[in-house]
Amino acid sequence: MGRDLMLVAGSGRSGTSLFANIVGNLGFYVPRPQVQSDDTNPRGFGEPQWVVDKHSELLRQANVQASDARPSAWADTAKLCLDERAGDEIRTWLEEQFTGHDQVVIKDPRLLWFLPLWSRAGEELGAEVSVVTMLRHPAEVVRSKSYWYSNMPLTESNRLAGWVNTMLFTERATRGHRRIFVRFEDLLEDWTQQIARVSAQLDIPSLVNARARQQAAADRLVDRSLHRSKADWGDLDVPGELMHLAERVWEELLKLSEDASYGDSGDHLDRLREEYISYYRYAEQVAQSSILAENRKFRRSRRSSTSARPSVRPADPMILKVRRFVPPEIRDRIPLRVKRAVAELLR
């Protein structure tokens, strides 16, 4: 049996954890250690800690947040997808996971920003790469995020814009690849039917040939009560134009989940993406006064912080000379007054 690399993409709070854990019980390996479960996801995230840490590091480097609403954020992360060092790190780590495991599943809500990196790494290691994108109605995603991630000061409008941005560009990034779209509700309703569909469409027969014990373990994960955040557009405070755009994106993605060949040309989704880019650009222009005010506030705080710092005595050239001849493990223990005294003796 050859290698399989399954990438689980989609917005956070859309069922990515449930799907990853199901296939993890059906024979795919979820790399360890994993992110510990908590109240937001009591049955486990199905996320390798290394992957979460690496993606978080890359997003900080690109100045992009996990559900960034800016269309320009894709260009910022695309640069990192071309970075040889990042590619080498992911390929080396992934090769270690394939040691002893022919089938590996990678899931993290941040993954969608770096799909080209993972696809390239998997292909270079001789694996068949496939992408499963989870779908959940955007109103429910926004309501769930607002409830479970209340510590993040983001408005419902921003969360919805983030959903539109990430889902449109995820679809574009996976076009032409082995992929499938799965509705969260369908997975909860009958996970065996959805897994059979994934198995057939992605040509992974092992998913339906799992042992009875593995299937029973997967079945125990699925509980209708997991659908805890139910909402519709009337529950959200968002602009009408953004709401209608998000609904149209949702309808197009649903067609992809029902007909794998529907999005081959991508014309409808490309037009929606261009429409969103224009919408966001105009929103930025309207909010330019607020943006400028925040920039001024930030610059003032930086100046205040700099002026409040105590003056630092320039490093004595002789002290720097002494440092070159003292091993670091000893040098760090020497008090500054002693270093200055030695420097005086050497003058």
Side-chain angles (χ1 to χ4, degrees):
M1 182 172 64
R3 289 175 169 178
D4 282 303
L5 173 63
M6 182 181 292
L7 305 175
V8 182
S11 172
R13 312 305 302 174
S14 62
T16 53
S17 296
L18 176 60
F19 185 88
N21 283 322
I22 287 176
V23 298
N25 277 281
L26 297 178
F28 272 76
Y29 175 63
V30 181
R32 294 167 174 75
Q34 298 178 29
V35 175
Q36 294 296 310
S37 60
D38 59 22
D39 291 340
T40 68
N41 217 330
R43 295 177 183 263
F45 290 89
E47 297 175 6
Q49 186 66 58
W50 187 91
V51 173
V52 172
D53 292 342
K54 174 51 62 177
H55 287 163
S56 298
E57 174 192 330
L58 292 174
L59 286 178
R60 283 194 299 270
Q61 189 175 339
N63 192 29
V64 171
Q65 61 157 313
S67 57
D68 210 304
R70 298 171 300 151
S72 61
W74 292 97
D76 296 329
T77 55
K79 295 174 185 176
L80 292 177
C81 288
L82 299 174
D83 184 83
E84 291 186 5
R85 179 180 176 183
D88 290 342
E89 290 177 346
I90 286 178
R91 185 175 58 254
T92 299
W93 179 86
L94 187 58
E95 188 171 20
E96 294 173 358
Q97 311 315 308
F98 274 122
T99 303
H101 306 92
D102 291 324
Q103 296 177 309
V104 176
V105 57
I106 302 296
K107 173 262 171 180
D108 175 24
R110 307 161 189 82
L111 173 66
L112 52 84
W113 296 101
F114 305 107
L115 286 169
L117 262 180
W118 287 95
S119 296
R120 187 168 65 251
E123 291 167 358
E124 290 174 352
L125 294 174
E128 289 285 353
V129 182
S130 55
V131 183
V132 178
T133 302
M134 293 298 300
L135 301 177
R136 187 180 185 183
H137 193 276
E140 292 193 353
V141 170
V142 171
R143 173 53 62 90
S144 183
K145 286 186 175 183
S146 297
Y147 181 80
W148 292 108
Y149 303 153
S150 57
N151 60 318
M152 300 176 65
L154 298 175
T155 65
E156 291 179 338
S157 296
N158 181 261
R159 292 187 190 279
L160 181 57
W163 182 88
V164 173
N165 188 42
T166 54
M167 295 308 296
L168 281 173
F169 278 84
T170 297
E171 186 280 325
R172 183 65 186 88
T174 58
R175 203 179 298 170
H177 292 72
R178 292 204 316 172
R179 69 178 187 177
I180 191 170
F181 293 79
V182 178
R183 285 187 66 190
F184 177 51
E185 281 189 326
D186 292 341
L187 191 66
L188 286 176
E189 186 67 32
D190 186 351
W191 70 269
T192 59
Q193 182 179 357
Q194 295 306 309
I195 289 297
R197 192 168 67 91
V198 170
S199 174
Q201 191 164 317
L202 300 182
D203 192 22
I204 308 176
S206 63
L207 287 173
V208 292
N209 295 330
R211 298 175 180 176
R213 175 169 46 83
Q214 294 173 306
Q215 294 184 40
D219 190 64
R220 286 193 293 271
L221 290 169
V222 184
D223 183 350
R224 289 289 295 176
S225 66
L226 291 172
H227 198 178
R228 294 177 288 183
S229 297
K230 299 183 180 181
D232 56 33
W233 293 122
D235 298 314
L236 303 184
D237 180 18
V238 297
E241 187 175 352
L242 179 59
M243 179 191 70
H244 292 305
L245 176 57
E247 182 65 26
R248 287 156 56 207
V249 172
W250 168 248
E251 291 172 356
E252 289 296 317
L253 293 175
L254 281 186
K255 293 175 184 177
L256 279 174
S257 71
E258 296 163 357
D259 180 2
S261 62
Y262 174 75
D264 286 348
S265 66
D267 291 343
H268 299 293
L269 287 156
D270 284 341
R271 284 195 291 270
L272 287 172
R273 194 173 68 256
E274 290 301 321
E275 186 176 335
Y276 174 71
I277 291 172
S278 296
Y279 176 83
Y280 193 88
R281 181 171 64 249
Y282 289 132
E284 282 186 313
Q285 293 172 0
V286 169
Q288 192 170 23
S289 293
S290 296
I291 296 171
L292 292 173
E294 286 300 315
N295 286 339
R296 288 194 297 269
K297 185 190 300 183
F298 176 74
R299 287 196 296 269
R300 284 198 301 270
S301 65
R302 286 288 300 273
R303 286 196 295 268
S304 300
S305 174
T306 303
S307 61
R309 292 176 185 172
S311 58
V312 179
R313 180 176 176 180
D316 191 312
M318 291 304 295
I319 292 180
L320 297 178
K321 183 177 180 181
V322 172
R323 287 170 59 88
R324 291 200 297 269
F325 297 98
V326 182
E329 62 271 17
I330 298 175
R331 183 176 68 215
D332 293 341
R333 300 177 188 172
I334 301 176
L336 182 59
R337 57 184 176 78
V338 175
K339 294 177 183 177
R340 286 178 177 152
V342 173
E344 288 297 329
L345 292 174
L346 293 176
R347 290 187 188 281

